[in-house]
Amino acid sequence: MDHLFWNPAPEPGAIPHGGDLGELRKAFPDAPEPWLDLSTGINPVPYPAPPVEASAWTRLPGAAEVRALRDAAAEAYRAPDAAHVVPAPGTQILIELLPRLVAPTRVAVVGPTYAEHAAAWARAGHAVAEVGGIQAIGDAPVAVLVDPNNPDGRTHPLDERLALAAALRARGGLLVADEAFADLEPGASLCPHVPHPNAGPALVVLRSFGKTYGLAGLRLGFAVADPGTADRIATALGPWAVSGPALAIGRAALADAAWRAQAARAREADAGRLDRLIARGGGRIVGGTRLFRTADFADGPGLYRRLAEAGIAVRRFAERPERLRFGLPAGKAAWCRLARVLKPEGFRLQGGG
């Protein structure tokens, strides 16, 4: 039966991501447990998920529950209405799906950025080029812009992003705007500006739930687009794409504006504290968001090794060995553990606390 399935040529190597400690445990078997995982940009203080009705685990989700989540997401993201919102089992599945809904064409990905975007468009048969900025997109029919960018936190003024979307719309193109890290940031979102029903596709905005609410295992994300494109995405995802528990918890969290505002203030303070630790450890901050900070070090590989030997996982980049990305620690013990490794060498030799 194998002949029924088409298997594309294997990738030269899987794209590395944070959050999987298996290989680190093998490479550093003597590191203390439990590991402190700072390799992701997930909120370390999760939303207090409410109890879920037992029936959410034993029956298929109903249309009314899906609509309630879409309403809550439209309100939280300031989308025009629920018809513009599609819930999905995580943003990653949307990154994989969108290229398959577009006929093969040229795609410009503003980078360096989250590598899964370029990989997904290439797997779907598109000609993909990474470009250094909006001005370098040229006449490509499709553009991908991650804003705030991962891993450097780069942002663009709203008017520049709107102008890009308008230019692509004028030539029948598409802008995919990945706003996975936008929820806790002060910058303006493109969600209120998705086209009205008669304007046609020109803009799809991706929003991540798990990062903001610290519930990545729930697997929930959203696409915000004109209603026609939203319907195409929902049809491609198929029925019951989001689990009943995710529908219930997502609706409650998205409706809790007070928690989101408090989380933004608290994570801003945490990011500032992390900046100071990194600077004292000899790092030069190159960017980030309120959920992660990225810095260059004179001996990035050496610091990465020392952190791993101490049971602390951070994100490294093969193409930039001096660069490391740090998620936010949670709790006093985690902060102290990181501080001990990032302590200036002079203090370390003196045995300071």
Side-chain angles (χ1 to χ4, degrees):
M1 297 291 288
D2 288 346
H3 66 282
L4 293 177
F5 298 92
W6 174 70
N7 293 309
E11 295 288 328
I15 295 173
H17 296 286
D20 188 349
L21 301 180
E23 292 303 314
L24 273 174
R25 284 193 169 99
K26 292 179 184 177
F28 299 91
D30 297 325
E33 295 278 355
W35 277 73
L36 173 57
D37 187 5
L38 305 181
S39 65
T40 72
I42 297 168
N43 191 340
V45 183
Y47 182 77
V52 176
E53 290 184 7
S55 64
W57 300 97
T58 59
R59 60 174 174 77
L60 291 172
E65 295 163 282
V66 176
R67 177 59 189 244
L69 177 63
R70 294 173 71 184
D71 284 336
E75 179 71 20
Y77 299 141
R78 297 179 56 234
D81 57 42
H84 290 74
V85 177
V86 185
T91 309
Q92 181 60 44
I93 195 66
L94 294 167
I95 291 173
E96 293 286 343
L97 177 63
L98 284 173
R100 302 173 191 176
L101 301 181
V102 178
T105 188
R106 290 178 296 111
V107 180
V109 179
V110 179
T113 191
Y114 183 57
E116 291 289 356
H117 283 288
W121 286 93
R123 280 193 294 268
H126 300 271
V128 181
E130 183 178 290
V131 300
I134 286 179
Q135 300 307 317
I137 289 172
D139 62 353
V142 175
V144 178
L145 178 67
V146 182
D147 192 308
N149 192 41
N150 175 16
D152 59 15
R154 173 179 58 182
T155 61
H156 299 82
L158 178 62
D159 59 353
E160 289 186 15
R161 288 176 282 144
L162 287 172
L164 174 60
L168 285 160
R169 181 184 297 115
R171 59 178 182 262
L174 172 68
L175 172 61
V176 178
D178 183 342
E179 295 185 351
F181 285 100
D183 285 8
L184 303 183
E185 301 301 307
S189 169
L190 283 173
C191 287
H193 304 280
V194 292
H196 58 75
N198 296 323
L203 174 62
V204 176
V205 185
L206 304 181
R207 299 295 290 242
S208 171
F209 177 87
K211 294 179 179 63
T212 301
Y213 294 91
L215 300 172
L218 196 68
R219 305 313 303 137
L220 182 61
F222 298 89
V224 181
D226 66 278
T229 301
D231 285 345
R232 289 186 65 202
I233 295 170
T235 299
L237 286 170
W240 312 300
V242 176
S243 72
L247 291 171
I249 294 171
R251 181 177 70 252
L254 287 166
D256 196 341
W259 182 91
R260 192 161 55 250
Q262 186 278 332
R265 293 190 296 270
R267 299 297 81 77
E268 181 180 26
D270 287 344
R273 180 180 181 182
L274 183 55
D275 281 349
R276 294 189 291 274
L277 271 184
I278 290 171
R280 284 201 295 268
R284 180 178 65 86
I285 304 295
V286 297
T289 70
R290 291 176 179 179
L291 291 177
F292 66 83
R293 310 304 286 171
T294 303
D296 289 347
F297 295 84
D299 183 17
L303 176 57
Y304 179 85
R305 188 177 305 108
R306 292 195 299 275
L307 287 161
E309 289 170 346
I312 301 173
V314 298
R315 183 77 163 83
R316 62 178 175 176
F317 304 91
E319 69 281 5
R320 298 293 299 268
E322 78 281 6
R323 184 157 294 179
L324 299 175
R325 193 191 72 185
F326 296 73
L328 301 176
K332 181 179 179 180
W335 281 101
C336 290
R337 192 171 168 184
L338 177 62
R340 283 194 291 269
V341 181
L342 290 178
K343 190 183 305 178
E345 191 65 27
F347 291 119
R348 188 179 298 117
L349 292 174
Q350 296 169 21

